[in-house]
Amino acid sequence: MMYAMGLILGGLSLIAKRINQLTLLIQILLLFITDTLTKTSPSSAISCIIPLTVGNDIARKSVSNIAISYNEWLMLILVSMLWFVVGSVVFGMSSRYARKNGLLGTY
């Protein structure tokens, strides 16, 4: 699910090299936005476009023996595929930029 965000951050690290603080900030924001720490109802619109939120909801329902609708599975699959495509494109663009400007051999 979150493979695409890893690709995006990997692409940024090819260019910027030192993104440790940005990565930590994104992780902390995701904990709150995706309802990982606490369940808020209803979920905001921005949290629905992050696959981790939908995955958390499905996992909670599965553990609680609540039926999971096909729409929720479909939403998880579609959002995950969208993020994967975006992550792959961003990583590819970053990789090409880093190779073109000679950033891969330096730190």
Side-chain angles (χ1 to χ4, degrees), residues 9 15 17 19 33-34 41-42 48-49 51-55 62 64 67 69 73 76 78 84 89 91-92 97 104-105:
L9 289 175
I15 296 170
K17 303 295 184 208
I19 62 165
I33 292 174
T34 60
S41 162
C48 290
I49 62 171
L52 185 59
T53 305
V54 181
S62 176
S64 301
S69 69
W73 285 109
L76 177 64
L78 290 176
F84 181 75
V89 168
F91 185 80
Y97 178 82
L104 292 177

Side-chain angles (χ1 to χ4, degrees), residues 93-105:
M93 290 171 44
S94 300
S95 177
R96 270 185 253 114
Y97 178 82
R99 278 185 274 153
K100 181 180 176 184
N101 293 323
L103 299 173
L104 292 177

Side-chain angles (χ1 to χ4, degrees), residues 19-88:
I19 62 165
N20 293 336
Q21 292 83 9
L22 178 64
T23 304
L24 180 64
L25 180 65
I26 290 172
Q27 289 174 349
I28 292 171
L29 286 175
L30 282 175
L31 284 175
F32 292 103
I33 292 174
T34 60
D35 293 338
T36 301
L37 293 178
T38 60
K39 176 65 178 150
T40 58
S41 162
S43 296
S44 65
I46 193 163
S47 67
C48 290
I49 62 171
I50 300 173
L52 185 59
T53 305
V54 181
N56 285 343
D57 287 340
I58 289 175
R60 281 189 186 103
K61 288 180 180 180
S62 176
V63 169
S64 301
N65 289 331
I66 299 174
I68 303 166
S69 69
Y70 290 112
N71 290 336
E72 290 173 302
W73 285 109
L74 183 63
M75 180 72 165
L76 177 64
I77 291 168
L78 290 176
V79 170
S80 295
M81 287 180 11
L82 175 71
W83 271 95
F84 181 75
V85 168
V86 169
S88 297

